[in-house]
Amino acid sequence: WLSSSTTPQLAQRVQLYDGGGSETRASWKKRRKLMSFGEARMSRLMKCALAAVAVSVAIQPQPTAGQPNNALAIDPRHHFDRRCPAAVLLDPSTEQRDPTSTSSYLATQMPKGSTVSDCAELCCHDWSCESFAFFTAVAPSPPPPPATTLTGRWINHDSLRGTSLVDITQSGASLTAASLQPRDAHWGAAAGVVDLGTRSGFLDFDKSPVNNRTFTASADLNTLYFARIPGQDPVGFSQNFTRTTAGPVSGCESNELPCCVFKDDIDPLVPGTAGVTTGRRAKLPAVNPPFPNSTAAVATLETKMYIGINGDEFPITWGNDGAQYTGAGDNHQVNKTGSPLSFFKVEGGPTEMGCDHPPTHGNQPAPTCKNIQMQGPPVPVNNSLAQQACPAWHDGIPNLKSSGVLSVDGVLYWAISCFNYGDDAVFNRQRYGPAWIITSTDGGVTFNLNATPTDMFPGRLAAPRFVQYGQDYAGAPSDWVYVYFPGTTGDSAFFENNDEILLARVDKSQILNRTAYQFFNGVMLDGTTAWTSDSTIATPIWSFPLMTSVQQVTYHPGLQRYLFANWAWISYDGYPRPDHTGDERNGRTGHQRTQLTLIESPQPWGPFSVMLREDDWHGADGSTGGYTPVIPPAWVGEDDFWIVFTQCCGNPRPPLNNYNFNAQRVRLKRV
């Protein structure tokens, strides 16, 4: 249905995702007025597809030296934003980004006469590239004089992995070698022997019995030729070391031509080297939320974070006993079995979690918290029905996520959803579904795993999020329970970067009865709302293509508004970029960047307004990658509230992601 007659209109529409200015936006508005009712309706139904094909229809980037030969035109990882090169920030001429870090991942030999601006533009074609190093060409240097020992600095020329620097030390017949770029070389250390009389020897790389390579040395001892290992190395493989004495080595084959090196980190600045210029990309403004600023309140986010237990996705409710209850996704607690899904009791306020701060291994802090306690076993859902419904996590345990939790009249309703770690063709978004509800009457110590069938909420409805009304639902204005369903314009619900939200309601006595759910179907001319039992014809209450991720809604009685936090992972250029979409060449994803918007509305179905927008949501320690923010109903004050969220993914180097129950305070100022 992408016919030739509609393609020009589609191109105009999707150019809004290419940083298009007022001319494109105005031309679209003019074209919109000329559309027939049928075309306009088709446009609304297709807007997610339009955003997904934006690159192919409107931009059509061509593969360059900065992207792989098999890069598709629709591949968002190599989308080029024309705003990027001009916004690049060059480092002072006396400094450079640390060349000894492990962040360098791609070296591109550039044509004669290329400049640092050309290198910056290449970096802008690759969303894993956060900074770069440009090496100017150097004049050919005379070959090093004949040597009497192998001690010195060498360039490792590997036909599979490119070039990297090596330091060799010879002591008698013994050799030791250290790679100065182990990530590029795929080895760190080697040891062996040499016989200078026969100019032959061997190196054992990383003590690997299958990577013990013999070599012969040139007569001047300035080149080492390594033998191919049959059955291990591909046909045509070659490797040799050449001694170097001239200038900085970039990783390109020749330093007599310019070289551009991509980095997926913003390394510290160190004293500069002649002929090397480094720079970093700017974080460009993100896609604008299609909602006005709030006329009820302005929110301010405090940067201090209070860090709790390990895990992610913490939908939370306020129980009848005064405690709050939350379900955690992938988590590992001290002295507990790791689990894709666990349940916890939270007592006290956000500054009273009583957590220790043990040494952090990798990017998985795992504090023990006095006032956050696991309820029941680490793996509360592992029955045969769940195993049949969901893909396996580890050891046959069903892979489940915590979708929503609600306390009503002393009963805990826990919506759980099967989970798949990325199967979306373009963005590799992580898929939910199906979802169902289990119940507990003892504070989550035990659950009725058969309260509903495992296919209660399939496809588009696989991410149910409950609206919270105070303690044990006591603040609700009626017996209706409201449920948000973020998902796509198709029949899918993803963990991140969805398109729109459907709304349902159900009598609180019928939460477990799927046929009792009614879906919002618009507002009538007289102001009343229309509802339908058929979710396939429901009217979305919210649309923000590829930028919609909502975990929970909480009613604020003082403000008399429904509040929620919408989040989306985005690229340096401000476009949608889900977490599991890595760089196909190197598996590099860089640091995760998040757009956070705090939303309010007078009714569950809107209209929605923005109280706060952060295009680079981060902690005071510089930690990034925030996601799944929720507003705990017990932590709502007259002029403030708290959000609980997790940080994750992307570049594992410091500053760390806090993969935890993190709390941040939000201040409210009434307008």
Side-chain angles (χ1 to χ4, degrees):
W1 38 270
L2 290 177
S3 67
S4 58
S5 62
T6 59
T7 298
Q9 286 85 350
L10 303 188
Q12 289 293 320
R13 173 65 179 91
V14 299
Q15 279 178 345
L16 298 182
Y17 271 87
D18 185 34
S22 58
E23 180 179 355
T24 299
R25 196 174 296 271
S27 65
W28 165 245
K29 289 181 178 179
K30 181 178 180 180
R31 188 180 298 274
R32 185 85 163 81
K33 292 179 181 179
L34 297 176
M35 281 185 176
S36 67
F37 172 80
E39 287 175 314
R41 177 171 176 79
M42 181 178 68
S43 175
R44 181 178 66 83
L45 294 175
M46 290 163 52
K47 56 188 156 186
C48 175
L50 300 179
V53 302
V55 178
S56 65
V57 177
I59 303 161
Q60 297 182 345
Q62 299 301 313
T64 71
Q67 55 185 137
N69 292 331
N70 64 338
L72 300 176
I74 62 169
D75 188 345
R77 293 166 294 185
H78 308 290
H79 162 62
F80 174 71
D81 189 300
R82 60 182 177 269
R83 301 172 298 168
C84 178
V88 163
L89 304 171
L90 295 181
D91 297 318
S93 59
T94 57
E95 297 178 300
Q96 65 177 351
R97 298 291 162 181
D98 186 359
T100 65
S101 80
T102 58
S103 67
S104 298
Y105 68 93
L106 184 68
T108 300
Q109 194 84 68
M110 303 184 70
K112 182 179 179 180
S114 296
T115 67
V116 66
S117 297
D118 299 317
C119 180
E121 183 160 331
L122 278 187
C123 179
C124 288
H125 277 82
D126 188 320
W127 73 2
S128 293
C129 182
E130 298 188 9
S131 61
F132 58 88
F134 176 71
F135 295 76
T136 57
V138 298
S141 57
T148 58
T149 175
L150 299 188
T151 297
R153 178 155 294 180
W154 301 71
I155 302 176
N156 170 24
H157 302 268
D158 184 317
S159 63
L160 283 180
R161 303 174 181 90
T163 58
S164 57
L165 285 179
V166 179
D167 276 347
I168 293 180
T169 301
Q170 179 182 341
S171 177
S174 298
L175 293 177
T176 58
S179 174
L180 303 184
Q181 297 165 296
R183 180 174 287 189
D184 297 332
H186 290 254
W187 60 272
V193 297
V194 63
D195 182 342
L196 295 182
T198 61
R199 300 197 311 276
S200 63
F202 73 87
L203 282 176
D204 185 358
F205 291 85
D206 287 337
K207 299 181 180 180
S208 171
V210 298
N211 203 7
N212 185 319
R213 297 182 179 273
T214 60
F215 66 82
T216 57
S218 61
D220 60 3
L221 300 185
N222 288 324
T223 305
L224 305 182
Y225 302 96
F226 287 87
R228 173 179 171 268
I229 301 177
Q232 176 176 324
D233 298 328
V235 175
F237 172 81
S238 65
Q239 183 179 20
N240 62 74
F241 289 2
T242 57
R243 196 186 297 270
T244 180
T245 59
V249 176
S250 60
C252 287
E253 284 292 331
S254 170
N255 62 357
E256 296 175 15
L257 290 172
C259 183
C260 183
V261 177
F262 291 177
K263 293 171 168 282
D264 66 354
D265 201 355
I266 308 295
D267 296 320
L269 287 170
V270 298
T273 301
V276 181
T277 303
T278 59
R280 57 188 174 90
R281 287 172 68 170
K283 293 181 178 178
L284 301 178
V287 178
N288 289 315
F291 306 101
N293 291 331
S294 173
T295 58
V298 174
T300 304
L301 184 65
E302 295 185 355
T303 58
K304 182 175 176 58
M305 293 167 47
Y306 295 84
I307 300 173
I309 60 170
N310 179 268
D312 75 347
E313 280 200 284
F314 292 100
I316 190 167
T317 194
W318 194 356
N320 67 344
D321 60 354
Q324 295 187 100
Y325 292 89
T326 183
D330 292 329
N331 72 100
H332 194 287
Q333 312 307 322
V334 176
N335 300 322
K336 300 283 188 180
T337 302
S339 173
L341 187 75
S342 303
F343 201 75
F344 295 86
K345 181 179 183 178
V346 181
E347 298 182 287
T351 64
E352 302 167 337
M353 292 186 280
C355 304
D356 59 9
H357 297 282
T360 296
H361 301 284
N363 63 341
Q364 293 282 311
T368 298
C369 300
K370 177 182 177 181
N371 288 326
I372 306 180
Q373 295 294 317
M374 183 179 290
Q375 303 291 92
V379 184
V381 183
N382 194 18
N383 57 332
S384 59
L385 291 177
Q387 292 171 359
Q388 294 171 18
C390 302
W393 183 66
H394 299 304
D395 302 321
I397 297 172
N399 196 11
L400 286 158
K401 284 287 188 180
S402 182
S403 186
V405 186
L406 184 66
S407 178
V408 178
D409 297 335
V411 178
L412 291 174
Y413 297 86
W414 190 11
I416 57 178
S417 181
C418 296
F419 196 67
N420 187 318
Y421 288 106
D423 65 357
D424 181 42
V426 176
F427 282 99
N428 209 25
R429 289 173 292 183
Q430 302 163 94
R431 188 181 301 274
Y432 282 121
W436 65 99
I437 297 174
I438 59 178
T439 59
S440 175
T441 56
D442 58 7
V445 177
T446 61
F447 280 91
N448 175 6
L449 303 184
N450 301 310
T452 61
T454 58
D455 62 352
M456 183 178 186
F457 295 117
R460 175 64 182 78
L461 304 178
R465 320 298 202 189
F466 295 114
V467 175
Q468 306 290 322
Y469 284 105
Q471 183 175 357
D472 201 35
Y473 217 65
S478 68
D479 286 344
W480 290 117
V481 167
Y482 290 96
V483 189
Y484 277 42
F485 293 91
T488 70
T489 52
D491 192 28
S492 297
F494 292 112
F495 173 77
E496 74 274 65
N497 295 82
N498 288 287
D499 306 314
E500 59 187 25
I501 301 172
L502 300 183
L503 172 68
R505 68 181 186 182
V506 64
D507 188 277
K508 68 178 185 179
S509 66
Q510 297 293 311
I511 295 174
L512 303 180
N513 181 3
R514 173 61 182 85
T515 61
Y517 283 71
Q518 302 175 10
F519 292 85
F520 180 80
N521 202 27
V523 179
M524 308 298 286
L525 292 177
D526 61 2
T528 59
T529 52
W531 300 84
T532 175
S533 61
D534 185 354
S535 65
T536 64
I537 62 171
T539 300
I541 60 170
W542 162 290
S543 178
F544 193 5
L546 295 175
M547 296 287 286
T548 296
S549 310
V550 176
Q551 309 304 126
Q552 181 172 297
V553 182
T554 299
Y555 184 70
H556 191 294
L559 199 61
Q560 296 186 331
R561 287 293 192 275
Y562 294 83
L563 309 182
F564 66 83
N566 184 65
W567 64 278
W569 276 324
I570 57 177
S571 68
Y572 260 54
D573 293 336
Y575 299 108
R577 174 190 170 172
D579 163 52
H580 281 227
T581 310
D583 184 292
E584 68 182 28
R585 294 162 299 181
N586 308 280
R588 311 299 281 263
T589 58
H591 287 102
Q592 208 60 270
R593 179 187 178 195
T594 307
Q595 183 191 74
L596 171 72
T597 50
L598 297 180
I599 305 298
E600 58 88 356
S601 66
Q603 299 292 343
W605 47 87
F608 301 103
S609 300
V610 179
M611 299 186 296
L612 175 143
R613 169 183 172 178
E614 292 274 359
D615 280 354
D616 190 25
W617 180 28
H618 60 273
D621 59 354
S623 52
T624 61
Y627 69 103
T628 61
V630 298
I631 301 173
W635 295 352
V636 172
E638 184 66 22
D639 295 309
D640 69 347
F641 59 88
W642 290 74
I643 57 174
V644 166
F645 62 97
T646 302
Q647 293 176 327
C648 183
C649 312
N651 197 322
R653 291 180 290 282
L656 294 174
N657 305 129
N658 295 294
Y659 191 82
N660 298 84
F661 182 97
N662 304 312
Q664 257 183 308
R665 190 178 192 179
V666 178
R667 299 280 190 177
L668 286 175
K669 182 179 179 180
R670 317 243 174 163
V671 176

